[in-house]
């Protein structure tokens, strides 16, 4: 039963993942849908404007024939149901979530305009609002279309995470091995992992010894030596030797699947935060309904006819939904996302970007974000008179040119930089978990870890500092200790400036890393950070991040790896480094294309500017309404002042133009 259930879960999950690919497709489809609705509605709006008595009055021409108002009604009905459909369904969604916002406001306005105008077409005394209905729908459609086009929206994070898990494992049964699907394994089974393969399950090594690349979980680029009784995590990559592993956790219980679940939870929690536009629209809706019904009641109490009171109420409710509001935010969003993209910032989640101005703490992942993520030689030295410092590096380089180890790359880069000739090398063999040996120009040379020296009772001279945060390797020539090479993950130049710039903005800076305490402390001290957390797994990074949030801080997290994904998704603003993994980029709200931590300072600054522009635009968009609503309600009717629909139309166009121009000013503002 259980395995059947697991299988069902697995297929559900697979289905879930494909959903993410569809998500991008769905987004493209929605953009196309808004575009099509906009163009069709726009074409239908032209005859509506031509036939509208108000427009005829403003421009000063007259077209009238016996059934003109029915044509107006028919065209408007098409625009209302076809063009207005996304807003009507949006209203239903928002009310279901108990979060009335932009869609509710638009839907209320167009429904009132359509309902009232239909009534006047079929006998109620009064003027129709058909032209207002049509132009409102056109502007709102174009606004939504612009906005959706400008924000990159895709969530392939979970897909990329799931792809990390191998599908099959080599199950050992007695003397045979056979390949089985992962979901057929159960705890206690024994699997074989060959060199270079991904480890298929969480388990324990029962035979073999190998270097395992766990960077996807810990974020650390240096492989970890593991042997009998050590735990291994599914999805990590086995090094040069075969291992036999007992299965402990599989499927839903496996560590990587827990990480996937953490990301999923964090993402769904975040999508609940509301855009600024929705908050303002919510209040405008309340005002429209309150003032609208208040107007109706007041005029009826004052003894005016129902028809008069209804016309005032309809005017108020239509005017409350400003045309300019439909463009106030989308234009700012479109311009700020395109300006940001030119600056190397890809904005994937708008709310997070709007909130960037509130950030009080920036948390950096260490490896690959603050540091370069690869090992570089920090110092090398001969400990034996027969060899120069350069020769030590040359001998090590000769052996390492045959190795795949990340430390090898670091040594070879240094050899190249120092322009050292590499001598001839033969008979190269690895000393499992301890180093490499071979024949270099007739000398038997080994490059080994401090552990090898201990095992072979070779004393390390006093002058060699092995307590530092560096990784130390020793060069042994003909069984004599000849030299030492120290390597470390180098801090990026930009990191120093990034920290300075953020501190100037009054922001606290912490670092999280899967690396050990010594290394973390050294990097933190050099960069003068406010604090650091070391030796963390992805779920622990998430816990620490929540801990900082619980102190009331507004947190931006910057990372580049799978191990950062849960924390990136849960942070108030998740920022991925462009050179990092797809998973990090997919879970983040903003991607730094140039992978430069200095861009974060610019991002926070520009988020603030964008937010300010939005507020200004809301003020422009709604100021006209604040003035027009009481006049439309008929407050000054005793003085003969009442807003005529013609004046309403002019004011409305004006506020829309001002909003559009104001949004353009954002382009000047970044540098």
């Amino acid at each position: 039963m259980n395995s059947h259930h697991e299988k069902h879960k697995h297929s559900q999950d697979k289905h879930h993942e494909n959903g993410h690919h569809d998500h991008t497709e769905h987004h493209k489809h929605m953009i196309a849908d808004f575009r099509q609705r906009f163009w069709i509605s726009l074409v239908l709006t032209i005859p509506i404007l031509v036939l509208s008595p108000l427009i005829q009055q403003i421009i000063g021409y007259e077209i009238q024939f016996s059934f003109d108002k029915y044509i107006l009604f028919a065209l408007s009905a098409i625009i209302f149901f076809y063009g207005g459909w996304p807003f009507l369904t949006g209203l239903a969604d928002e009310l279901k979530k108990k979060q009335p916002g932009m869609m509710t406001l638009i839907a209320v306005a167009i429904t009132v305009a359509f309902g009232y105008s239909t009534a006047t077409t079929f006998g109620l005394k009064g003027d129709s609002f058909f032209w207002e209905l049509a132009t409102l729908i056109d502007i709102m459609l174009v606004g939504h279309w612009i906005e959706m086009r400008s924000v990159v929206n895709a969530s392939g994070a979970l897909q990329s995470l799931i792809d990390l898990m191998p599908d099959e494992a080599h199950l050992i049964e007695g003397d045979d091995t056979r390949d089985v699907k992962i979901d057929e394994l159960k705890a206690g089974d024994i699997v074989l992992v060959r060199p270079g393969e991904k480890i298929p399950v969480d388990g324990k090594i029962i035979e073999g010894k190998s270097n395992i690349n766990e960077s996807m979980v810990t974020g650390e680029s240096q492989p970890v030596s593991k042997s009998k009784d050590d735990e291994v995590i599914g999805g990590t990559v086995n090094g040069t030797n075969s291992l036999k592993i007992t299965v402990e956790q599989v499927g839903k219980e496996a560590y990587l699947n827990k990480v996937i679940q953490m990301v999923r939870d964090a993402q769904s929690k975040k999508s609940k935060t509301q855009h600024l536009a929705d908050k303002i629209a919510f209040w405008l809706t309340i005002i429209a309904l309150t003032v609208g019904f208040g107007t109706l009641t007041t005029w009826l109490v004052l003894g005016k006819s129902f028809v008069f009171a209804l016309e005032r109420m309809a005017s108020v409710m239509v005017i409350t939904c400003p045309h300019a509001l439909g463009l106030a935010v989308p234009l700012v969003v479109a311009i700020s996302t395109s300006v940001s993209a030119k600056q190397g910032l890809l904005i994937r989640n708008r709310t997070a970007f709007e909130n960037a101005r509130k950030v009080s703490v920036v948390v950096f992942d260490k490896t690959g974000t603050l540091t370069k993520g690869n090992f570089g030689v920090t110092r090398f030295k001969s400990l034996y008179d027969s060899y120069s410092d350069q020769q030590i590096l040359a001998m090590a380089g000769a052996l390492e040119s045959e190795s795949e180890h990340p430390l090898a790359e670091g040594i070879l880069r240094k050899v190249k930089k120092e322009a050292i000739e590499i001598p001839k090398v033969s008979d190269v063999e690895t000393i499992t978990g301890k180093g490499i040996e071979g024949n270099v120009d007739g000398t038997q040379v080994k490059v080994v870890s401090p552990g090898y020296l201990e095992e072979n009772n070779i004393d390390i001279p006093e002058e060699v500092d092995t307590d530092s945060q560096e990784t130390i390797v020793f060069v042994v020539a003909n069984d004599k200790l000849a030299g030492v090479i120290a390597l470390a993950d180098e801090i990026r130049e930009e990191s120093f400036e990034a920290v300075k710039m953020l501190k100037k903005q009054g922001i606290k800076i912490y670092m999280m890393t899967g690396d050990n305490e010594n290394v973390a402390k050294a990097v933190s001290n050099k960069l003068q950070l406010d604090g650091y957390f070391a030796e963390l797994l992805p779920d622990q990074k998430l816990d620490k991040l929540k801990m900082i949030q619980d102190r009331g801080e507004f947190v931006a997290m910057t990372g580049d790896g799978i191990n950062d994904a849960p924390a990136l998704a849960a942070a108030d603003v998740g920022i991925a480094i462009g050179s990092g993994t797809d998973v990090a980029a997919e879970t983040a709200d903003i991607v730094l294309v140039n992978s430069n931590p200095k861009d974060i300072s610019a991002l926070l600054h520009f988020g603030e500017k964008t937010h300010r522009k939005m507020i200004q635009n809301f003020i422009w968009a709604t100021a006209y309404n604040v003035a027009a609503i009481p006049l439309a309600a008929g407050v000054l009717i005793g003085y003969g002042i009442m807003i005529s629909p013609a004046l309403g139309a002019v004011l409305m166009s004006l506020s829309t133009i001002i909003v559009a121009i104001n949004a353009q000013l954002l382009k000047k503002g970044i540098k």
Side-chain angles (χ1 to χ4, degrees):
M1 163 66 206
N2 209 355
S3 78
H4 170 76
H5 174 70
E6 279 295 329
K7 259 187 211 168
H8 172 66
K9 278 304 276 179
H10 195 72
S11 69
Q12 250 184 343
D13 265 13
K14 280 280 180 236
H15 171 72
H16 203 103
E17 294 126 47
N18 297 340
H20 286 291
H21 171 66
D22 301 344
H23 190 80
T24 321
E25 288 308 308
H26 171 67
H27 189 71
K28 285 185 190 146
H29 172 73
M30 271 174 76
I31 293 176
D33 179 59
F34 269 100
R35 187 176 57 215
Q36 186 183 348
R37 285 179 200 270
F38 166 67
W39 287 115
I40 291 175
S41 303
L42 189 64
V43 169
L44 294 175
T45 303
I46 297 166
I48 293 179
L49 291 175
V50 171
L51 290 174
S52 285
L54 170 78
I55 306 295
Q56 297 187 15
Q57 184 188 326
I58 293 176
I59 298 176
Y61 65 94
E62 203 173 320
I63 303 176
Q64 281 181 327
F65 43 92
S66 54
F67 51 90
D68 56 358
K69 59 184 190 182
Y70 299 116
I71 290 183
L72 260 180
F73 165 72
L75 292 171
S76 302
I78 298 172
I79 290 193
F80 176 69
F81 287 110
Y82 176 69
W85 188 247
F87 306 113
L88 299 170
T89 51
L91 163 87
D93 287 347
E94 288 185 346
L95 294 182
K96 223 188 281 163
K97 288 188 196 145
K98 300 197 180 58
Q99 281 194 330
M102 201 65 175
M103 295 296 188
T104 310
L105 179 62
I106 299 169
V108 167
I110 62 177
T111 309
V112 170
F114 181 69
Y116 179 77
S117 305
T118 303
T120 61
T121 306
F122 296 102
L124 187 76
K125 214 166 93 249
D127 297 323
S128 70
F129 290 115
F130 284 136
W131 67 273
E132 255 193 302
L133 166 79
T135 51
L136 184 59
I137 288 177
D138 293 345
I139 284 195
M140 294 300 171
L141 283 171
V142 80
H144 277 77
W145 168 36
I146 291 174
E147 184 174 340
M148 289 168 70
R149 215 183 50 190
S150 63
V151 176
V152 200
N153 182 344
S155 176
L158 303 170
Q159 179 53 44
S160 336
L161 269 173
I162 291 164
D163 292 345
L164 288 169
M165 274 311 241
D167 288 336
E168 293 192 329
H170 316 303
L171 178 64
I172 299 178
E173 293 171 320
D175 296 337
D176 298 329
T177 53
R178 66 186 177 96
D179 288 351
V180 296
K181 287 260 173 269
I182 295 283
D183 33 4
E184 292 173 34
L185 294 172
K186 50 193 188 301
D189 282 345
I190 293 174
V191 293
L192 173 70
V193 185
R194 301 196 173 106
E197 289 184 336
K198 283 186 180 173
I199 293 173
V201 291
D202 292 5
K204 193 179 257 180
I205 299 176
I206 52 169
E207 188 182 304
K209 181 173 188 176
S210 184
N211 284 330
I212 294 176
N213 180 347
E214 295 192 333
S215 61
M216 50 144 284
V217 176
T218 59
E220 294 318 308
S221 39
Q222 199 179 351
V224 186
S225 168
K226 300 242 171 166
S227 52
K228 193 172 157 62
D229 291 340
D230 284 336
E231 304 276 340
V232 289
I233 297 175
T236 54
V237 183
N238 184 21
T240 44
N241 300 308
S242 291
L243 295 172
K244 285 185 185 172
I245 292 169
T246 344
V247 178
E248 288 180 346
Q249 309 286 3
V250 77
K252 275 276 157 286
E253 288 309 303
Y255 189 74
L256 200 64
N257 279 327
K258 289 186 177 149
V259 171
I260 293 170
Q261 197 48 49
M262 286 187 259
V263 170
R264 209 170 265 168
D265 295 346
Q267 281 183 333
S268 65
K269 198 163 16 311
K270 205 173 208 171
S271 62
K272 288 197 181 71
T273 48
Q274 254 184 329
H275 294 336
L276 187 60
D278 285 327
K279 290 183 187 146
I280 291 188
F282 165 73
W283 287 109
L284 280 175
T285 311
I286 304 257
I287 293 167
L289 296 172
T290 324
V291 180
F293 286 109
T295 304
L296 179 75
T297 322
T298 312
W299 284 120
L300 289 176
V301 170
L302 291 175
K304 289 282 188 182
S305 71
F306 181 70
V307 172
F308 174 85
L310 190 66
E311 183 181 20
R312 291 297 101 224
M313 168 178 158
S315 301
V316 166
M317 290 172 90
V318 172
I319 281 180
T320 310
C321 179
H323 284 52
L325 190 66
L327 290 174
V329 168
L331 285 175
V332 174
V333 170
I335 290 167
S336 84
T337 39
S338 78
V339 174
S340 300
K342 287 194 187 92
Q343 300 285 318
L345 303 171
L346 284 185
I347 294 170
R348 303 186 56 251
N349 173 344
R350 211 188 85 202
T351 317
F353 178 60
E354 280 177 25
N355 287 337
R357 63 193 166 52
K358 294 194 228 161
V359 169
S360 58
V361 168
V362 176
V363 176
F364 283 100
D365 161 55
K366 178 184 78 73
T367 314
T369 307
L370 287 174
T371 64
K372 293 181 180 164
N374 52 35
F375 281 85
V377 171
T378 46
R379 54 198 172 97
F380 56 99
K381 184 172 190 273
S382 166
L383 301 170
Y384 189 45
D385 299 340
S386 325
Y387 300 107
S388 70
D389 292 352
Q390 306 292 44
Q391 280 172 300
I392 294 295
L393 198 58
M395 290 192 291
L399 286 180
E400 298 294 5
S401 63
E402 303 285 311
S403 164
E404 302 283 297
H405 201 285
L407 294 181
E409 290 171 31
I411 290 176
L412 289 170
R413 269 201 308 276
K414 188 68 171 175
V415 167
K416 202 165 165 190
K417 200 170 163 188
E418 300 276 328
I420 295 172
E421 277 284 305
I422 293 185
K424 282 203 173 52
V425 61
S426 57
D427 309 330
V428 176
E429 284 180 16
T430 51
I431 312 169
T432 307
K434 293 287 182 285
I436 187 167
E437 62 180 334
N439 190 316
V440 181
D441 263 353
T443 309
Q444 194 52 33
V445 177
K446 298 184 175 99
V447 176
V448 292
S449 65
Y452 176 89
L453 298 188
E454 271 170 41
E455 280 174 25
N456 291 280
N457 298 325
I458 300 174
D459 291 330
I460 301 172
E462 289 291 304
E463 76 233 48
V464 179
D465 170 17
T466 49
D467 295 337
S468 70
Q469 329 77 42
E470 298 154 311
T471 301
I472 309 265
V473 292
F474 292 95
V475 178
V476 177
N478 294 336
D479 293 329
K480 263 204 158 77
L481 181 57
V484 59
I485 299 174
L487 299 98
D489 184 2
E490 301 163 85
I491 298 177
R492 292 167 179 242
E493 300 298 313
E494 306 91 17
S495 300
F496 291 97
E497 283 180 65
V499 170
K500 269 197 203 105
M501 286 159 82
L502 290 168
K503 284 197 155 175
K504 220 181 252 163
Q505 289 173 310
I507 290 168
K508 293 199 270 297
I509 304 164
Y510 291 94
M511 177 180 77
M512 290 190 194
T513 177
D515 213 336
N516 66 49
E517 178 73 22
N518 279 345
V519 174
K521 188 172 179 177
V523 172
S524 175
N525 290 345
K526 272 189 196 148
L527 285 169
Q528 300 181 325
L529 306 181
D530 292 296
Y532 65 90
F533 304 99
E535 299 175 27
L536 302 177
L537 286 173
D539 54 329
Q540 295 165 315
K541 281 192 176 179
L542 181 64
D543 295 340
K544 293 278 185 252
L545 185 107
K546 287 189 173 147
M547 182 187 91
I548 298 173
Q549 282 173 326
D550 291 343
R551 291 187 211 148
E553 302 282 8
F554 201 86
V555 185
M557 165 84 192
T558 311
D560 67 337
I562 295 147
N563 57 314
D564 303 315
L568 281 173
D572 298 298
V573 183
I575 303 168
I577 294 284
S579 57
T581 57
D582 294 351
V583 179
E586 293 290 0
T587 29
D589 306 308
I590 295 158
V591 181
L592 303 181
V593 182
N594 308 329
S595 307
N596 185 345
K598 269 185 7 197
D599 291 343
I600 295 174
S601 172
L603 158 84
L604 301 182
H605 185 61
F606 193 51
E608 161 85 38
K609 278 211 153 111
T610 302
H611 182 261
R612 231 189 354 251
K613 268 284 170 269
M614 284 182 185
I615 298 282
Q616 287 169 7
N617 269 0
F618 279 126
I619 293 169
W620 279 115
T622 48
Y624 132 81
N625 298 59
V626 174
I629 291 170
L631 295 178
V635 175
L636 298 179
I637 203 159
Y639 300 96
I641 301 177
M642 202 162 77
I643 204 162
S644 72
L647 180 61
V650 173
L651 284 175
M652 198 171 58
S653 320
L654 262 178
S655 78
T656 308
I657 293 164
I658 290 173
V659 160
I661 293 170
N662 190 34
Q664 290 294 331
L665 296 175
L666 198 62
K667 285 185 177 165
K668 311 266 177 294
I670 188 168
K671 262 301 171 274

